Amino acid sequence: MKGIFITMEGPDGAGKTTQIRRLSQALEEQGYEVIITREPGGTPISEAVRGILLDPEYKEMKPETELLLYASARAQLVGEVIGPAVDAGKAVISDRFVDSSVVYQGIARGLGVETVYEVNRPAIGKYMPDVTILLDLPAETGIARKKDQAELDRMEQESLEFHRKVAEGYRRLAARDPERIQTIDATLPIDTICDMIKDKVYRAIQSK
Ligand code: TYD
């Protein structure tokens, strides 16, 4: 089996975790060995960096620092987990990847899309996702869902305006790369979303 790299993207509260679990089961039934990972995180070093990134105490963090920390967590995850797994023929599903940096740091923080790609080039190497599922959701809905859950982390505490830029940024990105980035309306029922994701991922597998 050829390895496949799938990423799940979307604003905070889009329901990525539930869908990743379901997709993973479906791929295992297809005979894949599946590795699920998340960003920032997924290795001991990257999880330590995650702790810094999401700590609500660090309100003084500069956008540039944020960009570099996300990229460093990513470099370790790609080198230690994603690269070896894809090369070994496994299916890797990552909860967020470089598109999150493009949208959150490049667009919402305003550092620029090209800068984000440049900084991330050494972190990603040849491991761009084969297919990316974008769970599209209005910023208001995402934040409302998060508020019902737990304490908000440093990113979730950002303004509604910031989260609007994120949601809009994702749409712009998907419009630029509709081949790789498959958009799904995250307000649809969970089962419907799950079926749509499976359909899009199976297609990506067939075209590899
Ligand atoms: P997480 O708890 O994983 O959020 P969610 O459950 O919504 O996926 O926290 C990740 C946060 O970090 C999220 O607010 C998005 C943000 N982020 C970036 O700003 N840039 C990045 O490159 C990545 C991977 C995440």
Side-chain angles (χ1 to χ4, degrees), residues 25-41:
Q25 276 175 3
L27 289 173
E28 278 173 358
E29 283 161 21
Q30 300 274 317
Y32 271 105
E33 192 173 328
V34 181
I35 303 284
I36 297 178
T37 191
R38 70 163 180 185
E39 280 213 338

Side-chain angles (χ1 to χ4, degrees), residues 3-7 86 128-132 179-181 204 208:
I4 180 133
F5 181 25
I6 304 153
T7 60
V86 172
M128 263 310 268
D130 296 298
V131 58
T132 297
E179 192 72 16
R180 173 175 66 88
I181 306 177
K208 262 211 101 175

Side-chain angles (χ1 to χ4, degrees), residues 2-120:
K2 263 196 196 161
I4 180 133
F5 181 25
I6 304 153
T7 60
M8 203 69 84
E9 294 280 354
D12 297 81
K16 296 189 299 303
T17 315
T18 313
Q19 293 299 338
I20 287 172
R21 226 177 291 131
R22 292 200 178 193
L23 175 63
S24 163
Q25 276 175 3
L27 289 173
E28 278 173 358
E29 283 161 21
Q30 300 274 317
Y32 271 105
E33 192 173 328
V34 181
I35 303 284
I36 297 178
T37 191
R38 70 163 180 185
E39 280 213 338
T43 75
I45 293 174
S46 314
E47 289 290 333
V49 176
R50 176 188 178 90
I52 301 173
L53 275 165
L54 300 183
D55 190 337
E57 289 289 309
Y58 293 142
K59 296 209 187 310
E60 72 277 27
M61 191 180 291
K62 302 288 179 205
E64 292 79 4
T65 311
E66 193 178 276
L67 169 68
L68 293 166
L69 284 174
Y70 277 113
S72 60
R74 180 165 302 128
Q76 189 64 30
L77 180 67
V78 170
E80 194 178 326
V81 178
I82 297 176
V86 172
D87 290 346
K90 296 175 188 172
V92 177
I93 312 172
S94 186
D95 186 342
R96 300 190 180 280
F97 196 61
V98 69
D99 298 312
S100 283
S101 283
V102 171
V103 167
Y104 282 79
Q105 283 67 54
I107 297 173
R109 293 272 191 239
L111 293 176
V113 170
E114 285 317 311
T115 305
V116 173
Y117 279 125
E118 249 168 64
V119 164
N120 276 277

Side-chain angles (χ1 to χ4, degrees), residues 153-171:
D153 66 37
R154 192 179 60 86
M155 299 302 284
E156 289 160 356
Q157 285 181 8
E158 275 296 334
S159 63
L160 181 58
E161 195 200 333
F162 178 84
H163 289 284
R164 283 208 181 110
K165 283 186 195 161
V166 167
E168 188 44 42
Y170 271 123
R171 290 181 200 125

